[in-house]
Amino acid sequence: MKVIEHLRHAKGTLLSFEILPPLKGKDIRSIYEGIDPLMEFKPSFINVTYHREEVIYKERGHGLLQKVRVRKRPGTVGICAMIKAKYNIDSVPHLICGGFSKEDTEDALIELNFLGIDNVLALRGDAIKSEPQFIPERDGHQHAEDLIQQIAGLNKGKYLHEEEEEAAPTDLCVGAACYPEKHPEALNLDTDIAYLKRKVDAGAEYLVTQMFFDNAKYFAFLERCRAEGISVPIIPGLKPLTTRKHIAFIPKTFHLDLPVAFSNELAKCRADAEVKQVGIEWSIQQARELKAAKVPCLHFYTMGRSEAVRAIVSAVI
Ligand code: FAD
């Protein structure tokens, strides 16, 4: 079933989780271990992230380095098919522009269609570490908007090189990303929202936010989007902070603020266990307030660690 249908038929706030494919060489059981403890909450859908290749340098002796491209977390589509088959839950594979030509994208979409996967979250992806800015693949897409257009075209039976009139259309529900605190590269929130509107006009049927820790920022963003004519559901994405490393890493990486009351509590923590407790309590109050405001769905970034998310969801539903 499509995410948009789940949202339309919902009687209250839904739940969804996001997981990462395991590192290459790890067993699929690590995925079960991440999902199993969350199944009792009956999520409406589970998202699986996509990870682009990275460039690494391997020592070949005599001072020689070999440049190698590796994908450290392959398996997005396979995990999505497994989630549908094993748990009977709708899955949402993430699909990015980076590293994909239009042809590769079309092949990936055909594969999803054949697997009976009804959803896709369409993203640009970030620049790889060795590049100063995002560079699309040759004959690939520069922005998520272009990828959404391709998916919307295929949903109408428009294949890249086929002239046949009878070409079978796909029927994929498309979601896209949005950023209550602005995408890091955007010049300002106004232009970011203007581009967001174009993604919706191109065919995105719902949006999922980047994580945020200040609900006021989500509510203000929602209001600005509505004022700009973006009327699709906007699902808040939540992530509990659980380690001291997160405190430095997350605001910097995702360009977001931690509210003063939260950062004051975190500053008192001396160990990861204390951060985890404070992080869980903060997420609980965030989720409770969002649910009370009747958000369509609470989307949790689990990062494969279900314990903290379990504690939050148990306290909120
Ligand atoms: P875009 O919508 O293309 O926007 C990127 C930037 O370009 C923004 O600054 C925007 O304002 C600007 N822009 C947009 N359209 C245009 C246009 N037409 N012309 C000019 N400028 C424009 N990354 C992964 O690699 N894998 C994942 O699985 C993944 N999952 C994610 C899930 C969520 C919910 C979120 C919020 C992010 C996720 N990301 C993922 C990260 C995402 O790929 C990065 O944030 C990326 O930098 C931007 O992706 P986007 O789809 O928002 O890009």
Side-chain angles (χ1 to χ4, degrees):
M1 186 165 151
K2 294 176 176 182
V3 168
I4 195 66
E5 289 166 4
H6 281 288
L7 296 171
R8 278 188 194 132
H9 300 142
K11 297 212 166 62
T13 298
L14 302 178
L15 268 180
S16 59
F17 300 120
E18 183 164 312
I19 61 167
L20 276 66
L23 284 166
K24 195 185 285 195
K26 288 241 176 176
D27 203 277
I28 184 75
R29 271 174 296 192
S30 63
I31 290 285
Y32 306 154
E33 284 158 16
I35 296 179
D36 286 345
L38 299 172
M39 280 308 106
E40 67 174 279
F41 304 119
K42 299 191 172 31
S44 297
F45 52 95
I46 295 178
N47 283 46
V48 185
T49 54
Y50 187 90
H51 297 260
R52 199 180 162 180
E53 82 283 0
E54 291 172 33
V55 173
I56 58 163
Y57 291 89
K58 284 198 164 177
E59 289 219 26
R60 290 297 182 217
H62 308 293
L64 291 176
L65 290 174
Q66 185 190 3
K67 189 176 172 183
V68 190
R69 285 179 179 262
V70 248
R71 283 191 59 211
K72 292 189 176 167
R73 292 181 185 272
T76 301
V77 173
I79 293 169
C80 284
M82 178 279 288
I83 289 171
K84 281 203 73 166
K86 181 172 158 68
Y87 297 96
N88 195 22
I89 288 181
D90 286 300
S91 53
V92 185
H94 293 192
L95 186 62
I96 62 172
C97 303
F100 280 74
S101 67
K102 289 178 194 148
E103 201 80 42
D104 298 331
T105 300
E106 187 172 88
D107 292 351
L109 295 169
I110 290 170
E111 203 168 338
L112 298 182
N113 193 38
F114 287 172
L115 282 167
I117 292 171
D118 298 323
N119 300 288
V120 64
L121 193 77
L123 303 142
R124 186 196 70 180
D126 286 316
I128 50 175
K129 285 193 189 103
S130 53
E131 290 171 353
Q133 66 198 39
F134 177 80
I135 301 172
E137 194 68 12
R138 183 197 276 258
D139 192 31
H141 296 302
Q142 174 75 49
H143 287 291
E145 179 192 348
D146 312 317
L147 171 59
I148 295 166
Q149 273 169 1
Q150 184 177 1
I151 305 170
L154 209 62
N155 278 347
K156 292 187 187 126
K158 280 191 211 154
Y159 288 76
L160 288 173
H161 306 296
E162 301 302 322
E163 302 302 332
E164 287 174 42
E165 295 203 351
E166 303 276 311
T170 53
D171 190 16
L172 290 157
C173 169
V174 191
C178 64
Y179 304 81
E181 295 178 63
K182 175 182 103 54
H183 182 263
E185 294 162 32
L187 300 182
N188 53 60
L189 192 55
D190 283 8
T191 59
D192 209 21
I193 291 177
Y195 287 128
L196 184 61
K197 169 95 169 42
R198 287 169 54 156
K199 292 202 277 193
V200 172
D201 292 345
E205 294 174 81
Y206 70 96
L207 303 167
V208 184
T209 75
Q210 181 58 280
M211 67 184 79
F212 58 89
F213 297 89
D214 184 350
N215 285 354
K217 297 227 161 100
Y218 168 81
F219 292 126
F221 176 72
L222 194 63
E223 208 172 296
R224 285 180 78 167
C225 287
R226 299 303 182 228
E228 293 306 317
I230 299 172
S231 56
V232 298
I234 301 183
I235 298 175
L238 296 178
K239 159 143 185 60
L241 290 191
T242 53
T243 63
R244 279 179 299 170
K245 221 165 113 189
H246 277 162
I247 302 172
F249 172 79
I250 286 184
K252 187 169 163 226
T253 308
F254 299 105
H255 297 255
L256 39 87
D257 286 345
L258 300 186
V260 176
F262 187 31
S263 62
N264 285 346
E265 286 307 304
L266 290 170
K268 293 180 201 156
C269 298
R270 295 282 159 260
D272 283 351
E274 294 169 43
V275 173
K276 189 170 172 181
Q277 197 48 42
V278 170
I280 289 174
E281 280 163 19
W282 188 265
S283 286
I284 290 174
Q285 66 84 18
Q286 267 196 286
R288 281 189 176 141
E289 189 184 21
L290 291 164
K291 190 168 178 248
K294 299 191 168 38
V295 297
C297 180
L298 290 169
H299 183 73
F300 287 94
Y301 294 104
T302 72
M303 309 299 208
R305 291 188 199 92
S306 49
E307 204 188 311
V309 173
R310 234 185 96 78
I312 298 159
V313 177
S314 308
V316 172
I317 59 166

